[in-house]
Amino acid sequence: MMTVPDNPIVGDYLRRLEEAARDLPADRRAELVRDVREHIAVATAEAPPASDAETLQMLDRLGEPEEIVGSARAEGGLAVSGPAPSLPRNVAHPALDGLTVALLLVGGFIVGIGWLAGVVLLWSSPTWRLRHRIAGTFVVPGGLLLPAFMGLFSNGSCTQTARPVRSGAGPGAGAGAQHCSTVGPAIGLGVGLVLAAASISCAIYLARRAYLAHR
Amino acid sequence: MEPADASYAGKAVSQMRRGVLEYCVLALLRNRRRYGVELVRELGAADALPTSEGTIYPLLSRLRRERLVDTSWQESSTGPPRRYYELTPAGRSSLEEFAEQWRRFRSAVDGFLSTEEER
């Protein structure tokens, strides 16, 4: 650290500067105090003050500590007066927001509870705006569970009509596939695919938001 | 120092000084690097400092954060080593861009002011 003249007037000035700068971010405060110390050290080395009056003059030209700190706040894009605003009660956490997106997508497979947990997280993290919360909750409730269920259901009805009695895999599987091209199961499969696409799009939309919020 | 007159026009000029101060700093560094006290002295001599000397340091700090200037240490024969400021390529192009815009701005304002005077 740069040595400043061992003068109580200078010491008092620097103490007042540190006091005025106490609500600046720590790195800014340290940098500001360091720069002003350096200024005093260099200025007094170049033109050693002959008296306390001259020291006071030098400090007077330097400016009131409050004024210098005010300038630091303005330059740093920080609040011009008063302490920094306190953090919101719910603090956004990148990992938790990632988990939220994952739970909304595939949490439904965890006996349905996983998706509900995702919804709770979605509505409590400050990362999300109302539009994200509504999209995540209502676009495809249950996430991929619903489209997966529809896909299984259409396959299930298909095998039932094709092979009502025989069990196990065998040559009959081919016949079952042919029967699947009836209208009902095809619609089920189509709707399932659309819902799956919507669910994945929604997850990408939320993931993008989380990424931008935490970048 | 803050101009003594807090008149309406005085306030406008004071705000303008504040706005162009960083480009005055960059311009002082155009041909060679300088240390803090030296910059303050030059600006003060030209009456270009809108406020007290100390307020230049937060400005220099921001210019450094925005990578418009770089700093380096150099020993001195008188007293402590000095922290020198120098232009980065980004600082140089920012200065050139401002100089160009300032020339146009200045001639436009001069044009308006001289027209008004002739009436």
Side-chain angles (χ1 to χ4, degrees), chain A residues 72-104:
Chain A
R73 284 200 196 95
E75 294 291 355
L78 305 161
V80 174
S81 65
S86 56
L87 285 169
R89 241 176 307 138
N90 294 319
V91 178
H93 196 279
L96 214 53
D97 289 336
L99 178 68
T100 305
V101 177
L103 283 175
L104 288 172

Side-chain angles (χ1 to χ4, degrees), chain A residues 29-146:
Chain A
R29 180 177 59 231
E31 191 181 28
L32 182 65
V33 174
R34 181 203 68 191
D35 283 348
V36 171
R37 283 180 76 94
E38 283 174 19
H39 177 101
I40 294 171
V42 171
T44 52
E46 291 188 349
S51 63
D52 280 353
E54 284 189 23
T55 301
L56 280 170
Q57 256 178 14
M58 178 199 61
L59 296 177
D60 189 51
R61 276 197 305 274
L62 203 45
E64 282 298 311
E66 289 74 19
E67 188 185 4
I68 300 174
V69 171
S71 167
R73 284 200 196 95
E75 294 291 355
L78 305 161
V80 174
S81 65
S86 56
L87 285 169
R89 241 176 307 138
N90 294 319
V91 178
H93 196 279
L96 214 53
D97 289 336
L99 178 68
T100 305
V101 177
L103 283 175
L104 288 172
L105 193 61
V106 296
F109 298 105
I110 309 169
V111 280
I113 298 294
W115 183 79
L116 285 175
V119 172
V120 171
L121 288 172
L122 182 69
W123 286 82
S124 58
S125 167
T127 301
W128 318 105
R129 298 274 168 270
L130 185 62
R131 59 180 183 277
H132 305 110
R133 291 174 173 163
I134 288 174
T137 309
F138 297 110
V139 169
V140 186
L144 285 179
L145 179 67
L146 190 61

Side-chain angles (χ1 to χ4, degrees), chain B:
Chain B
M1 297 291 131
E2 193 81 47
D5 61 328
S7 65
Y8 200 73
K11 273 183 210 157
V13 171
S14 168
Q15 279 176 358
M16 220 151 28
R17 281 161 176 265
R18 234 179 282 266
V20 300
L21 181 59
E22 65 183 281
Y23 293 101
C24 295
V25 169
L26 295 181
L28 279 173
L29 300 173
R30 192 193 329 241
N31 294 323
R32 66 180 183 86
R33 56 201 199 126
R34 294 171 193 268
Y35 57 93
V37 170
E38 196 185 2
L39 280 169
V40 165
R41 204 185 292 140
E42 294 282 342
L43 291 166
D47 200 22
L49 274 179
T51 51
S52 60
E53 294 178 353
T55 57
I56 198 77
Y57 291 104
L59 170 69
L60 289 170
S61 161
R62 175 169 60 81
L63 293 177
R64 190 169 36 205
R65 282 200 304 280
E66 291 178 351
R67 306 253 190 279
L68 298 179
V69 301
D70 233 345
T71 59
S72 55
W73 284 100
Q74 191 176 310
E75 294 295 329
S76 165
S77 53
T78 52
R82 314 288 199 262
R83 187 189 298 273
Y84 275 82
Y85 295 83
E86 64 185 312
L87 279 187
T88 63
R92 194 168 292 280
S93 65
S94 178
L95 172 63
E96 279 161 15
E97 189 190 335
F98 177 80
E100 170 60 29
Q101 304 233 12
W102 173 258
R103 271 189 285 274
R104 271 190 274 163
F105 175 69
R106 186 186 56 195
S107 63
V109 174
D110 281 351
F112 287 126
L113 290 177
S114 60
T115 314
E116 291 302 307
E117 274 172 8
E118 278 161 21
R119 273 178 198 167

